[in-house]
Amino acid sequence: MTPRIADVWVYLSASPLLGLTLTLVAYQAAYWVYQRAGFNPLLNPVLLAILMLVAALTLTGTTYATYFDGAQFVHFLLGPATVALAVPLYLQFDKLKKLALPLAVALLAGSLTAIVSAVGIAWLLGASETTLLSLAPKSVTTPIAMGIAEKIGGIPSLAAVLVMLTGVSGAVMAKYVLDGLRITDFSVRGFAVGIAAHGIGTARAFQVSEQAGAFAGLGMGMNGLVTAILAPLLLILWRWI
Amino acid sequence: MLGALTVLLVFQLIGEVLVQFAGLPIPGPVIGLLLLFLSLCVRGGLAVPLRDTANGILQHLSLLFVPAGVGVMVHFSRVSGEWLPILAATIISTALAIGVSALVMQALMRGRSGGEGGTGGGDGGA
């Protein structure tokens, strides 16, 4: 019996089917738990699915590269999903036009806060310069953050990890922060989460309300652009002081 | 659904091509998002299949972040070496950024609608 199981494992671990299937199974299991818990943000499905998969890969001694051979088919859909954000945004267009000024000012304030406070706190706690530079773009979506980190002297792949940590913590904390501040308007709640916690925050916002999701998508996209401009400028300022 | 998916991929492709040609520091799909948004505004309407497909994909947006998130395992040693500054900075700064963005936007909206404040209502959760 044992040799046959080993043969099957050798075959499966070389095929993309396993990584792809594991991703879908882990996510649906995580989502089931999340749903059963009444969409409690502490049981964020992205976080749970990642924990389950990291545990499974570590236990079976599977490398990330082997896993990603299969999981890349899911990963690829991030592109068309980003484009699809145009649809809810268009449906909110009338509200968007009226809110142009509050949106622009909140975006600048949020973007500055995210960069300065992240780098400042890590600096106070004695982080290395490479870590500081990789932290600066942590609130924006992965491909933009990796590009910014590379440009200012951080490590792109470390930046990607910090982006994930930020997204998950934002999706987990947003409800408590916003409830604490008595923010009830879904456009405000969504926009703030999109600025601070990019796509993972946006995904959480869509689970709550389509309006929050649309504004989160807007915040995510706009903060990507603003951070790409602000982070290098702030670095010049910091070096100069 | 097939047509709508094609529309999304075509806009992503146009975005990627533009980024490559112009050497922009922005990912192609974000340009694709902007172009699709502009073309919807110009067209002045949204086809039902495109709306349904977009909503279908966005409902499971969380799933799409899982493969990249599992990549944390590759950097485990680096993150654990500086875990305190990294965790403190990401968690505190993310909470601050959410709070500041929301308070600034809410204050400016109040100023406009004469103290009317929140319009969305509900105790929801974003």
Side-chain angles (χ1 to χ4, degrees):
Chain A
M1 246 357 238
T2 328
R4 283 201 64 182
I5 290 174
D7 288 348
V8 170
W9 173 249
V10 167
Y11 168 74
L12 275 181
S13 56
S15 125
L17 179 65
L18 194 62
L20 178 60
T21 313
L22 270 182
T23 306
L24 292 174
V25 169
Y27 178 75
Q28 285 180 75
Y31 198 84
W32 182 83
V33 171
Y34 179 57
Q35 208 167 21
R36 288 304 290 266
F39 299 99
N40 185 328
L42 294 175
L43 295 170
N44 182 275
V46 183
L47 178 63
L48 289 184
I50 291 171
L51 292 177
M52 278 190 254
L53 287 165
V54 169
L57 297 181
T58 310
L59 286 175
T60 56
T62 310
T63 64
Y64 180 62
T66 307
Y67 161 76
F68 198 77
D69 271 348
Q72 62 175 319
F73 300 107
V74 172
H75 182 75
F76 172 78
L77 289 173
L78 272 177
T82 305
V83 178
L85 285 168
V87 170
L89 210 54
Y90 173 72
L91 295 173
Q92 298 288 334
F93 188 47
D94 287 331
K95 184 147 195 212
L96 217 69
K97 271 190 296 194
K98 281 183 218 139
L99 292 177
L101 183 71
L103 288 170
V105 180
L107 171 65
L108 263 182
S111 188
L112 270 174
T113 305
I115 302 170
V116 174
S117 66
V119 177
I121 292 166
W123 178 73
L124 283 175
L125 294 171
S128 66
E129 176 156 328
T130 316
T131 303
L132 292 181
L133 294 173
S134 310
L135 260 173
K138 64 146 185 68
S139 275
V140 308
T141 186
T142 313
I144 304 187
M146 291 175 80
I148 297 172
E150 192 170 21
K151 204 167 143 192
I152 63 176
I155 304 173
S157 57
L158 178 59
V161 171
L162 300 172
V163 166
M164 296 310 298
L165 284 174
T166 300
V168 169
S169 61
V172 168
M173 291 185 300
K175 179 178 163 50
Y176 306 109
V177 174
L178 293 165
D179 285 351
L181 295 171
R182 305 220 170 119
I183 310 279
T184 51
D185 190 316
F186 276 130
S187 60
V188 179
R189 293 176 74 102
F191 195 60
V193 174
I195 291 174
H198 56 88
I200 301 179
T202 301
R204 162 76 191 166
F206 267 112
Q207 285 156 6
V208 173
S209 116
E210 198 185 308
Q211 191 188 20
F215 277 84
L218 178 70
M220 169 183 84
M222 298 305 294
N223 194 23
L225 305 182
V226 170
T227 304
I229 299 165
L230 276 183
L233 286 180
L234 286 169
L235 180 67
I236 294 170
L237 196 69
W238 183 42
R239 290 261 152 87
W240 187 63
I241 296 169
Chain B
M1 156 131 195
L2 192 60
L5 201 57
T6 311
V7 168
L8 295 177
L9 287 172
V10 166
F11 273 93
Q12 184 185 352
L13 184 63
I14 297 172
E16 303 278 12
V17 170
L18 280 177
V19 166
Q20 290 302 320
F21 267 109
L24 298 171
I26 304 156
V30 174
I31 303 292
L33 187 173
L34 290 174
L35 291 174
L36 177 58
F37 179 71
L38 289 178
S39 66
L40 289 173
C41 291
V42 170
R43 195 167 169 270
L46 176 64
V48 174
L50 182 58
R51 194 192 63 199
D52 292 347
T53 304
N55 286 340
I57 294 180
L58 293 176
Q59 247 164 29
H60 292 290
L61 188 59
S62 293
L63 163 68
L64 312 186
F65 291 99
V66 172
V70 176
V72 172
M73 65 188 275
V74 178
H75 298 274
F76 192 70
S77 60
R78 189 151 33 194
V79 174
S80 60
E82 288 186 279
W83 67 273
L84 180 66
I86 285 178
L87 283 186
T90 46
I91 293 173
I92 299 171
S93 140
T94 304
L96 281 175
I98 293 173
V100 168
S101 314
L103 287 176
V104 169
M105 185 169 162
Q106 173 124 312
L108 289 169
M109 284 167 72
R110 281 233 171 95
R112 300 200 135 193
S113 56
E116 192 186 311
T119 50
D123 61 344

